[in-house]
Amino acid sequence: MVLYEYPFNEGIRTMLRLEHLFDRLGQLVARDAPVDHHFALATIFEIMDVASRADLKSDLLKELERHRAQLQSYRGNPHISEAALDQIVGRIDHAFDGLNQLQGKAGQALQSNDWLMGIRSRIGIPGGTCEFDLPSYYAWQQLDPAKRRADLMGWIGTLSPMAEALQVLLGLLRDSGAPQRVVAAGGQYQQSLPAGRTYQLMRVRLDGADGLVPEMTGHRLMVGVRLMRPDADGRLRLAAEDRDFELTLCA
């Protein structure tokens, strides 16, 4: 099964982009090849670029505080497990405290590292990090993988509070939805959304063996999914056939 997600607003869009970058970073750092650590460093710079929004940190803190207040209101409810509630609130508190203690924007501490910023200024230039352009960076790439990984982990440490906050918030958002099995008649599906409830994320899970790609749209009144199939040239065409898939709306 292949999972696709569609954000309904710019805030969730930014969070999903950062989550994607952090996931890629984790995979690259675990490897040993110099080229993997080169792209790990490039990913760190991408995270800094995406996280440079002036209000991103405050938005994440507000969201964590909102979830904490909502969960605390469930105290004393006989249908709620206090142990599970304590665990979730504890995760929110830990993420909030870590992000709140972060000075400035994510990665701001790295901007005072002239060596890193020299690499950042050239890494977007095609071939701009060759050994004759950045010999010190080339020398770093020849170090033992464990030493390179230790350096990367130190730099990633300045970004970790944001990664933890994203993990908690997106986890709570995804858990808020209940999956349902629906049918796209003739390859198309539409569903009206109830008034008074704001959805933030749509999730579509398809059988990868079918070779289908969803084109997803959504706003406060309606969501739509068109199931497409690539032709021989890679162009997407509507799969004009009835297909069922799993749909989850997260509020």
Side-chain angles (χ1 to χ4, degrees):
M1 301 297 286
V2 182
L3 174 66
Y4 297 85
E5 294 186 320
Y6 182 85
F8 287 1
N9 58 65
E10 191 58 32
I12 302 301
R13 192 183 311 274
T14 299
M15 291 169 65
L16 290 175
R17 284 177 176 152
L18 284 168
E19 181 190 50
H20 168 76
L21 291 171
F22 277 115
D23 180 64
R24 182 211 296 172
L25 181 58
Q27 294 182 52
L28 290 169
V29 169
R31 301 171 185 170
D32 289 341
V35 67
D36 289 317
H37 288 175
H38 165 80
F39 284 107
L41 195 54
T43 303
I44 289 176
F45 297 146
E46 284 189 62
I47 291 171
M48 292 171 64
D49 289 338
V50 176
S52 63
R53 270 183 44 200
D55 55 348
L56 178 60
K57 175 183 169 183
S58 62
D59 285 349
L60 293 178
L61 289 171
K62 288 176 184 176
E63 279 298 294
L64 289 168
E65 181 60 39
R66 183 179 67 82
H67 279 288
R68 177 166 54 189
Q70 183 178 15
L71 289 168
Q72 292 288 19
S73 68
Y74 298 150
R75 294 287 184 191
N77 188 320
H79 302 291
I80 300 296
S81 166
E82 290 288 331
L85 189 59
D86 287 340
Q87 183 180 24
I88 296 174
V89 171
R91 290 182 59 210
I92 293 174
D93 288 341
H94 190 272
F96 183 94
D97 292 342
L99 188 59
N100 195 40
Q101 292 169 14
L102 189 66
Q103 297 297 316
K105 302 174 185 176
Q108 184 170 315
L110 301 181
Q111 294 182 10
S112 61
N113 187 319
D114 293 338
W115 184 77
L116 282 178
M117 293 304 100
I119 299 168
R120 185 184 187 185
S121 68
R122 297 198 58 84
I123 207 164
I125 302 172
T129 56
C130 287
E131 65 271 19
F132 52 82
D133 284 315
L134 294 173
S136 66
Y137 178 51
Y138 181 73
W140 178 81
Q141 290 176 296
Q142 310 314 307
L143 296 177
D144 183 81
K147 175 63 172 69
R148 280 187 267 114
R149 188 175 296 107
D151 289 339
L152 287 167
M153 293 305 296
W155 300 325
I156 292 170
T158 66
L159 305 169
S160 296
M162 176 165 286
E164 182 182 2
L166 290 168
Q167 184 181 41
V168 170
L169 288 172
L170 288 173
L172 289 170
L173 177 59
R174 289 170 176 135
D175 288 345
S176 71
Q180 55 179 322
R181 205 75 192 172
V182 298
V183 176
Q188 302 188 70
Y189 175 81
Q190 284 189 336
Q191 178 179 325
S192 298
L193 299 179
R197 188 169 191 191
T198 302
Y199 290 92
Q200 299 190 74
L201 183 69
M202 173 168 53
R203 311 181 84 203
V204 167
R205 199 182 298 270
L206 298 171
D207 188 341
D210 290 338
L212 297 174
V213 179
E215 280 190 354
M216 305 156 69
T217 57
H219 51 77
R220 62 185 182 85
L221 298 176
M222 182 175 290
V223 296
V225 179
R226 300 175 75 227
L227 300 182
M228 315 294 286
R229 179 175 281 113
D231 62 16
D233 295 323
R235 291 187 295 256
L236 293 177
R237 310 282 188 184
L238 180 66
E241 56 197 64
D242 294 353
R243 287 285 180 174
D244 66 321
F245 63 92
E246 184 182 280
L247 174 70
T248 306
L249 295 172
C250 305

